[in-house]
């Protein structure tokens, strides 16, 4: 069966009206057979606040009241079955119970906390999926609520579980595929379950990734990601009003964008889609008629400049040692230390006796730990001198054949004639050119580059 998957993000499910728009979207496409939902907007953040264990009993009750307020505002528009009502009540009660248990934990019970946190966070998607299933049913859709934990098998790394792709494929073919012919499956993004039956989560914003994984597992023809923007933009429209939505972008370009700071898609989302060559559409559930961006393997156009991404809060670590002069193995020593402390290195430039490295400081990068600890610095200082610079931002120019097109440098440096470019990386990929500037100049730099490369007659041409 040639089905599509629709994933709705939190803002798309924020209230009954928003959910109704999503129902229109499902109804408008016969082939949409799997719906993956996030928690209603704000709910995961409230659950995260409860998971810290640092709220007072009053603050806890406030947070729980807010969550239940969001759900009941939606529920009043629906004729929920007694089974659905008791499921919602149970979930809200569970939120209260887990929050209290977490608040009572002692120092040193970190393992228990992370495990309970995943159970707590999972309630958001369970609530929204129950409600959205009913919205669809009342609109005449033969919707079937599925607990994704029956399919999404993961490791036991609570908070950032790794998905067991083969098991998911097998479980999906047993438990989802047979239903697709007649029903629309509504299920939860973001959550999974380990082999012992413990609830896990895939990391914040992980619902996109869930949708892509289920798309891969059920061999879907397209994954539609419905969010609050009309696609992937040339750059963040909050930086420049001249930014515009792209009609298409390749997997490689989009992966660079997600990695280098664009928030539209979760960075892991594209991995399953690329693996199976499934196109991903990104559009706004508020304005589906405005279209959106299609992300696919081969794009019709391959402009040199496709987009500009910004990642703030960059730290530049420069390590220097005279031992490096003609000596093999120095880089290996430095990187071994960084790996030991689980630091995720982004950019690297080298000179004869120095190496400059950026580390992701936003915590959004895949699994790396962005904190530079004193112990790690001590260890590095045994082999080299270390300098740390902060308040930098990484600007990534994304496109095609950037490494072999003439004129990129001319355009770039002419635009940045009065800007201090602290570091520049180009050549490893034909899809990007990255550089570091002072954080305070970053948005101005992007507006100017956007003007020079994407506006007037420039639209993407080198
Ligand atoms: N609800 C989760 C979060 O806010 C997952 C998601 O929305 O993708 O992080
Ligand atoms: Mg979300």
């Amino acid at each position: 069966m040639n089905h599509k998957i629709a994933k709705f993000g939190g803002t798309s499910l924020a209230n009954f009206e928003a959910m109704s728009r999503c129902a229109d979207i499902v109804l408008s496409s016969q082939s949409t057979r799997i719906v993956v939902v996030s928690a209603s907007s704000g709910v995961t953040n409230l659950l995260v606040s409860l998971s810290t264990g640092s709220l007072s009993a009053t603050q806890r009750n406030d947070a729980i009241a807010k969550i239940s307020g969001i759900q009941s505002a939606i529920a009043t528009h629906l004729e929920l079955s007694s089974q659905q009502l008791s499921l919602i009540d149970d979930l809200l009660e569970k939120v209260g119970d887990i929050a209290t248990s977490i608040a009572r934990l002692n120092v040193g019970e970190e393992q228990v906390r992370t495990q309970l946190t995943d159970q707590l966070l999972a309630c958001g998607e369970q609530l929204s999926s129950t409600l959205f299933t009913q919205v669809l049913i009342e609109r005449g859709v033969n919707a079937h609520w599925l607990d994704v934990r029956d399919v999404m098998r993961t490791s036991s790394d609570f908070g950032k579980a790794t998905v067991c792709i083969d098991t998911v494929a097998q479980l999906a073919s047993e438990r989802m595929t047979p239903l697709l012919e007649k029903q629309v499956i509504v299920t939860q993004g973001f959550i999974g379950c380990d082999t012992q039956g413990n609830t896990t989560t895939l990391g914040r914003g992980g619902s996109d990734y869930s949708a892509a994984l289920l798309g891969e597992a059920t061999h879907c023809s397209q994954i539609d990601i419905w969010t609050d923007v009309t696609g992937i933009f040339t750059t963040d429209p909050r930086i420049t009003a001249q930014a515009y939505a792209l009609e298409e972008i390749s997997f490689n370009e989009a992966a660079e964008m997600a990695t280098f700071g664009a928030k539209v898609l979760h960075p892991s989302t594209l991995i399953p889609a690329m693996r199976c060559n499934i196109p991903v559409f990104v559009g706004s559930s508020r304005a589906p008629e405005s279209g959106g961006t299609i992300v696919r393997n081969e794009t019709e156009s391959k402009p040199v400049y496709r987009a500009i991404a910004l990642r703030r809060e960059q730290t530049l670590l420069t390590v220097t040692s005279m031992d490096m002069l003609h000596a093999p193995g120095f880089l290996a020593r430095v990187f071994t230390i960084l790996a030991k402390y689980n630091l995720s290195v982004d950019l690297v430039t080298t000179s004869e006796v120095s190496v400059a490295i950026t580390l992701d400081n936003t915590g959004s990068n895949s699994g790396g730990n962005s904190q530079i600890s004193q112990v790690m610095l001590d260890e590095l200082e045994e082999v080299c001198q270390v300098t740390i610079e902060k308040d930098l931002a990484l600007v990534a120019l994304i496109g095609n054949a950037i490494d072999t097109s003439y004129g990129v440098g001319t355009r770039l440096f002419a635009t940045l004639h009065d800007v201090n470019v602290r570091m520049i990386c180009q050549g490893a990929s034909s899809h990007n050119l990255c550089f570091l500037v002072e954080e305070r100049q970053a948005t101005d730099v992007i507006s100017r580059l956007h003007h020079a490369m994407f506006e007037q007659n420039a639209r993407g041409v080198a």
Side-chain angles (χ1 to χ4, degrees), residues 144-296:
H144 172 86
W145 182 86
L146 178 104
D147 190 330
V148 84
R149 291 171 296 184
D150 292 341
V151 173
M152 194 60 76
R153 198 62 69 246
T154 71
S155 68
S156 307
D157 302 302
F158 300 107
K160 195 138 192 57
T162 310
V163 176
C164 315
I165 316 274
D166 295 338
T167 316
V168 173
Q170 191 205 325
L171 292 172
S173 72
E174 285 166 23
R175 299 175 183 180
M176 294 178 83
T177 309
L179 305 176
L180 295 177
E181 198 64 52
K182 298 211 168 69
Q183 289 183 301
V184 173
I185 299 175
V186 182
T187 196
Q188 309 81 36
F190 180 54
I191 48 185
C193 180
D194 70 6
T195 46
Q196 284 94 56
N198 298 308
T199 300
T200 55
T201 61
L202 310 184
R204 286 304 304 269
S207 296
D208 292 351
Y209 183 41
S210 303
L213 288 162
L214 294 176
E216 175 180 36
T218 60
H219 310 289
C220 78
S221 60
Q222 183 163 310
I223 301 157
D224 293 340
I225 306 277
W226 293 102
T227 166
D228 52 3
V229 285
T230 50
I232 301 178
F233 277 62
T234 47
T235 197
D236 187 337
R238 285 168 302 187
I239 298 178
T240 166
Q242 308 306 315
Y244 52 89
L246 296 162
E247 253 171 63
E248 57 165 3
I249 183 167
S250 71
F251 283 133
N252 287 330
E253 296 167 276
E256 301 274 2
M257 274 193 88
T259 312
F260 288 112
K263 291 279 182 294
V264 186
L265 283 177
H266 185 275
S268 312
T269 311
L270 296 165
I271 301 168
M274 283 169 94
R275 244 183 337 235
C276 302
N277 197 12
I278 305 171
V280 177
F281 167 86
V282 182
S284 164
S285 65
R286 271 180 183 281
E289 69 289 348
S290 305
T293 306
I294 191 98
V295 193
R296 60 178 153 225

Side-chain angles (χ1 to χ4, degrees), residues 279-417:
V280 177
F281 167 86
V282 182
S284 164
S285 65
R286 271 180 183 281
E289 69 289 348
S290 305
T293 306
I294 191 98
V295 193
R296 60 178 153 225
N297 209 354
E298 278 294 320
T299 50
E300 275 167 28
S301 65
K302 288 193 173 29
V304 178
Y305 309 121
R306 180 83 79 184
I308 312 173
L310 166 65
R311 196 151 78 187
R312 298 177 194 273
E313 289 181 45
Q314 298 298 293
T315 301
L316 184 66
L317 195 75
T318 308
V319 297
T320 306
S321 169
M322 287 310 274
D323 292 349
M324 199 173 147
L325 209 63
H326 308 302
F330 177 75
L331 282 180
R333 276 157 76 194
V334 169
F335 283 103
T336 305
I337 297 171
L338 295 173
K340 178 172 159 194
Y341 292 95
N342 195 25
L343 281 168
S344 160
V345 173
D346 282 333
L347 305 186
V348 183
T349 57
T350 64
S351 79
E352 192 53 52
V353 292
S354 302
V355 186
I357 293 161
T358 66
L359 301 167
D360 180 16
N361 230 4
T362 60
S364 62
N365 213 15
S366 45
N369 163 11
S370 58
Q371 299 313 314
I372 300 175
S373 64
Q374 194 52 48
V375 259
M376 186 211 68
L377 283 179
D378 291 346
E379 209 166 309
L380 268 181
E381 273 162 357
E382 279 171 26
V383 287
C384 50
Q385 289 144 20
V386 184
T387 330
I388 293 175
E389 289 165 66
K390 294 198 162 155
D391 301 322
L392 295 165
L394 188 158
V395 178
L397 190 57
I398 289 145
N400 296 278
I402 293 188
D403 53 344
T404 51
S405 298
Y406 290 94
V408 175
T410 317
R411 183 91 58 108
L412 180 71
F413 291 115
T415 314
L416 301 182
H417 62 94

